[in-house]
């Protein structure tokens, strides 16, 4: 009940919730296919930040088509934005991907344009305010888009 979804980038107004009756097990998901520009989606807990420094993981169920690669993005409590080098690429069906955050190299993220910047060496992930994702691209209908069904974050809650 404390979870807040935030949308960023010039293409964020076209992020859609989607679902199809066929196949029967098609989930409800967020879809970027109509985005006319770069976009990003984050989630935040209204009462807590999260410490992602030790044994932290992020899992999600997603499906990308075309050249789309879905990256993790983080907003630190000090306002710094980061994007992961690791990503989840094209697949013909839904799949679950697990990211060990200690294995990720982070880059600056310009959240206004949703574009990556320079590498950030050893960022302190002790107070992460928002966690989300982007593919750094505009949508291309169903043939070139990102879809995400759910996301799980494993870290330690830290009061805001």
């Amino acid at each position: 009940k404390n979870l807040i979804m935030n949308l960023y980038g010039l293409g964020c107004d076209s992020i859609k919730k989607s679902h199809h009756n066929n196949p029967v097990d098609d989930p409800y998901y967020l879809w970027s296919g109509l985005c006319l520009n770069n976009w990003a989606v984050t989630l935040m807990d209204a009462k807590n930040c999260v410490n992602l420094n030790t044994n932290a993981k992020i899992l999600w169920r997603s499906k990308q088509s075309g050249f789309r690669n879905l990256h993790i993005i983080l907003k630190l409590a000090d306002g710094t934005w980061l994007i992961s080098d690791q990503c989840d690429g094209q697949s013909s069906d839904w799949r679950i991907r697990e990211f060990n955050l200690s294995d990720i190299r982070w880059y600056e993220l310009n959240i206004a344009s949703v574009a990556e910047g320079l590498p950030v060496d050893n960022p302190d992930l002790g107070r992460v305010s928002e966690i989300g994702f982007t593919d750094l691209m505009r949508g291309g209908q169903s043939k070139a888009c990102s879809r995400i069904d759910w996301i799980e974050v494993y870290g330690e809650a830290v009061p805001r």
Side-chain angles (χ1 to χ4, degrees), residues 46-122:
K47 296 184 177 183
N48 297 294
C49 287
V50 62
N51 178 351
L52 297 177
N53 274 329
T54 308
N55 298 322
K57 295 178 187 250
I58 293 178
L59 288 84
W60 63 41
R61 184 173 182 226
S62 70
K63 178 181 174 184
Q64 278 66 247
S65 55
F67 291 126
R68 302 307 180 269
N69 291 295
L70 201 61
H71 296 261
I72 298 167
I73 64 171
L74 304 176
K75 180 182 182 185
L76 307 184
D78 69 3
T80 301
W81 283 93
L82 302 171
I83 186 165
S84 65
D85 66 339
Q86 293 186 21
C87 58
D88 194 6
Q90 186 178 49
S91 66
S92 60
D93 199 0
W94 293 95
R95 72 169 162 222
I96 297 171
R97 173 74 197 270
E98 178 179 297
F99 298 91
N100 294 318
L101 272 62
S102 60
D103 296 334
I104 291 176
R105 182 153 186 211
W106 296 99
Y107 289 77
E108 297 169 345
L109 176 67
N110 178 324
I111 197 61
S113 60
V114 190
E116 78 278 8
L118 297 173
V120 177
D121 293 326
N122 304 314

Side-chain angles (χ1 to χ4, degrees), residues 146-158:
S146 289
R147 303 166 184 91
I148 189 160
D149 176 19
W150 53 259
I151 182 171
E152 294 178 5
V153 176
Y154 293 88
E156 178 185 348
V158 179

